[in-house]
Amino acid sequence: IAVMYAGRIVEEGDAATLLRAPRHPYTLALLKSRASGALPKGTRLETIAGSPPDLTDLPPGCAFADRCRMVQDVCKTDRPEVRWLAAGHSVRCVRV
C-alpha cells in the first residue's frame, strides 16, 4: 500500500505493517479518522485539522506540516527524504 498526501508518497508498506505500525503522522491520522468496530451513537470520529495545500503551489518542506500534530520547525523547510524502516516499509518524515 502507498499512502499519498498532496501527490507524494509519504509511507509505503504491506497492509499489516501500515495498519499495525504506521509511522507517518498522516497515516496515523487517517487510521484514527475511521470507525473501528461499533461506535456508540453520537461518538465523533477524529478529524484532520486544516485543509490540504494548493497542489499548484506546494510548500517547501513537508506538505502535511501545517496539519500535522507532530510538526517540528524543520518540517516546514526541508522536504523529507525516504527512510527505510524495514524491508518493504518506507516513510518520508524527518521525525522518524
Side-chain angles (χ1 to χ4, degrees), residues 25-95:
Y26 181 60
T27 308
L28 291 163
L30 283 176
L31 292 172
K32 287 181 178 182
S33 69
R34 67 180 168 78
S36 56
L39 287 175
K41 186 175 182 177
T43 302
R44 292 181 157 261
L45 295 174
E46 285 194 38
T47 60
I48 302 171
S51 299
D54 178 353
L55 296 179
T56 64
D57 187 26
L58 290 174
C62 176
F64 189 61
D66 286 342
R67 303 177 75 191
C68 184
R69 293 181 181 184
M70 300 174 216
V71 68
Q72 300 173 3
D73 289 340
V74 68
C75 301
K76 295 185 178 193
T77 59
D78 296 352
R79 182 184 286 178
E81 296 295 324
V82 68
R83 296 177 191 221
W84 291 94
L85 307 176
H89 186 194
S90 67
V91 66
R92 285 178 176 84
C93 183
V94 297
R95 60 167 211 80

